[in-house]
Amino acid sequence: MAIRPTAIDEIVHDFEHAYQDAVHARVRITSAGLAYIALTIRHHLPTATKIAVQVDSMTLTAVHSPDEVLWKAGDGRDFDNVATIHVCPLLTDVLTFGRDEEALDDLGWDKADGNPGVYTATLPRHLFTVDCTTYGPYAADPVPDTWNAHDPIRVTRATAEQIAHDLNTHDAESGLTAAWDGLNLVFTWDRRYRDEPGSQTVTPEPDGRYRIGGLWPWMEWTRRADKA
């Protein structure tokens, strides 16, 4: 029996919708996983800012601070056991969802010079959620001491995509939506959200980061806040 054209359209639509959901789920898992890894490492190495990872074997090879290499695989320090027992299983979980080069590039991971298969990732120090929600956590650049909840945070393209997806999926009736126009992220609202309809366009800065804020209050994320 031939499949009805409308049934084919429905199947294609369902597939595309499921695929996009999977892409956003991968971004969320990998971003939240890196945040979890950062918390685990900094419990033992508080000044850690970056890690190096052998992607194919999904192993941690080094931990860096801004000034020095804090740890290298097999150097005999106490952190060897932490890396093996705690960090590497987390890395396996994270990279299972996104270890191809395109996925890692999208997440802001960098290829290590002169080390094939090794990527470096900056450990997030500041994690945010939308106030009074469980969205995120969203990794952002450090904010100044004068920052307040309505100020913007700076995020990668992948994180900006996740913010837009969460807004459109979970707050569809709020009157505020987000859509991509090429490289620009456009927020649009109607009278359900503010007294006057309007829009805000966020353009990428020279380093590719997006400065998002002013449309809702941010809150710094903690595991306690996420469970509240």
Side-chain angles (χ1 to χ4, degrees):
M1 182 184 348
I3 301 176
R4 294 178 292 108
T6 53
I8 295 175
D9 291 342
E10 291 170 1
I11 292 170
V12 171
H13 177 270
D14 288 346
F15 170 77
E16 291 177 344
H17 185 72
Y19 187 86
Q20 288 302 315
D21 283 347
V23 169
H24 289 294
R26 181 183 69 179
V27 171
R28 180 165 185 169
I29 288 168
T30 49
S31 297
L34 188 59
Y36 191 179
I37 289 168
L39 290 172
T40 302
I41 291 175
R42 288 201 182 106
H43 182 71
H44 302 273
L45 302 172
T47 60
T49 57
K50 184 175 288 189
I51 58 174
V53 177
Q54 176 59 249
V55 173
D56 290 341
S57 60
M58 294 187 280
T59 55
L60 182 70
T61 61
V63 179
H64 299 258
S65 75
D67 304 315
E68 61 179 329
V69 177
L70 299 174
W71 172 85
K72 290 185 71 173
D75 68 1
R77 302 186 200 179
D78 292 340
F79 191 74
D80 281 357
N81 288 334
V82 176
T84 301
I85 296 171
H86 298 290
V87 178
C88 285
L90 280 173
L91 276 173
T92 299
D93 290 340
V94 170
L95 293 175
T96 296
F97 287 90
R99 61 172 171 163
D100 60 277
E101 289 190 1
E102 183 177 351
L104 294 175
D105 289 342
D106 288 344
L107 290 165
W109 293 41
D110 299 314
K111 291 180 181 178
D113 293 337
N115 291 295
V118 175
Y119 274 75
T120 61
T122 299
L123 298 175
R125 280 200 174 275
H126 287 251
L127 300 170
F128 292 89
T129 182
V130 177
D131 196 14
C132 298
T133 75
T134 58
Y135 303 164
Y138 307 120
D141 289 356
V143 296
D145 293 338
T146 56
W147 180 88
N148 71 69
H150 287 277
D151 287 342
I153 60 174
R154 273 178 27 102
V155 300
T156 63
R157 166 75 187 232
T159 300
E161 289 178 352
Q162 188 61 47
I163 291 169
H165 176 264
D166 289 345
L167 171 64
N168 292 336
T169 302
H170 303 298
D171 275 335
E173 302 303 317
S174 69
L176 175 66
T177 59
W180 289 94
D181 179 13
L183 294 176
N184 299 330
L185 179 57
V186 181
F187 294 97
T188 305
W189 59 88
D190 59 28
R191 286 190 174 86
R192 289 175 296 170
Y193 195 75
R194 287 187 170 175
D195 291 340
E196 294 295 331
S199 66
Q200 179 187 101
T201 299
V202 181
T203 60
E205 298 187 343
D207 62 356
R209 301 265 173 168
Y210 290 80
R211 196 178 291 271
I212 299 175
L215 295 174
W216 56 75
W218 293 109
M219 179 177 70
E220 286 207 64
W221 179 88
T222 65
R223 278 183 277 189
R224 178 180 297 176
D226 191 50
K227 293 176 181 177

